[in-house]
Amino acid sequence: MKTLRFLLLFTAAITLTACGTSHNYTNNSLNKNFYAEKSIYFKLNPKSQNQINFTGMYGTVLGGVMQPNVKETFQLSLNELASETNIKLSFIENSEEITDKNAVVFDTDISEINWHFGFSVATLKTVVNYKNINNSKEIQTTGIRKSGGGDEKNNLKKSLKDATYNFLKEYEK
């Protein structure tokens, strides 16, 4: 019986730790020359999704859901990504805040925030549309955060950071 309990706990621990995706972009493959002189600003569209939708085997075992502030979480994800990639990324409330005439500004619309709970893995997916205010070109990306659970704000931050990193990869092409 002790062996069975040990195996069950060991399997659960491995499953929970092995299912998380890493979101540290310190060693990234972004084109450093492309971003060297650029300042990129992101303005969150007021029509953006502002709540996480839950699907799958979702339950409230330890209490209710703490819906994070999406705007604040997006700003945190940008700050973290800027720090890890050494690219000048900034969150702005409105375009009048910008004094740099060479700045690139993107209207950012988060169209989807879904957290699906499977048997052992929870996947938080964000779909984000980045529209260049200067030329109206649009790039849509998806951010994924797989985990064994965790708190809503941290998983959302990592998913949004992944979406923005994927955007940067597309933008440099």
Side-chain angles (χ1 to χ4, degrees):
M1 189 63 166
K2 280 186 175 183
T3 306
L4 182 60
R5 186 176 356 174
F6 173 76
L7 285 173
L8 183 62
L9 288 173
F10 180 74
T11 303
I14 293 296
T15 300
L16 291 176
T17 57
C19 294
T21 52
S22 175
H23 286 90
N24 184 337
Y25 298 105
T26 304
N27 298 320
N28 63 72
S29 60
L30 294 172
N31 182 343
K32 304 233 185 293
N33 292 328
F34 180 80
Y35 291 107
E37 300 299 320
K38 286 186 174 43
S39 293
I40 303 174
Y41 295 89
F42 298 88
K43 179 178 164 265
L44 191 60
N45 188 306
K47 295 178 183 175
S48 287
Q49 179 76 25
N50 62 5
Q51 289 194 108
I52 299 173
N53 297 315
F54 296 90
T55 60
M57 299 170 56
Y58 159 71
T60 55
V61 176
L62 298 174
V65 173
M66 297 292 294
Q67 287 284 352
N69 179 317
V70 173
K71 184 185 343 182
E72 175 186 298
T73 306
F74 178 63
Q75 186 173 4
L76 289 171
S77 75
L78 286 175
N79 293 342
E80 196 171 285
L81 185 60
S83 174
E84 291 174 7
T85 60
N86 293 317
I87 296 174
K88 298 174 205 148
L89 308 174
S90 300
F91 177 84
I92 57 169
E93 293 286 339
N94 57 54
S95 301
E96 289 80 40
E97 296 176 32
I98 302 170
T99 57
D100 181 3
K101 296 196 187 298
N102 296 323
V104 182
V105 182
F106 287 93
D107 178 67
T108 308
D109 182 19
I110 302 169
S111 62
E112 183 180 321
I113 306 173
N114 290 320
W115 202 355
H116 181 78
F117 288 82
F119 180 68
S120 64
V121 177
T123 305
L124 198 151
K125 174 184 165 186
T126 53
V127 177
V128 185
N129 189 48
Y130 301 87
K131 182 178 179 181
N132 188 324
I133 291 178
N134 298 331
N135 62 16
S136 298
K137 287 181 84 175
E138 295 184 33
I139 298 174
Q140 186 178 70
T141 62
T142 300
I144 301 287
R145 165 66 176 161
K146 291 186 179 185
S147 67
D151 74 56
E152 296 85 353
K153 184 174 184 175
N154 187 51
N155 283 301
L156 177 59
K157 178 182 72 167
K158 290 181 179 186
S159 182
L160 289 169
K161 185 168 76 166
D162 188 50
T164 303
Y165 180 79
N166 292 335
F167 158 76
L168 293 172
K169 291 295 293 175
E170 286 298 313
Y171 181 60
E172 71 184 28
K173 290 181 181 179

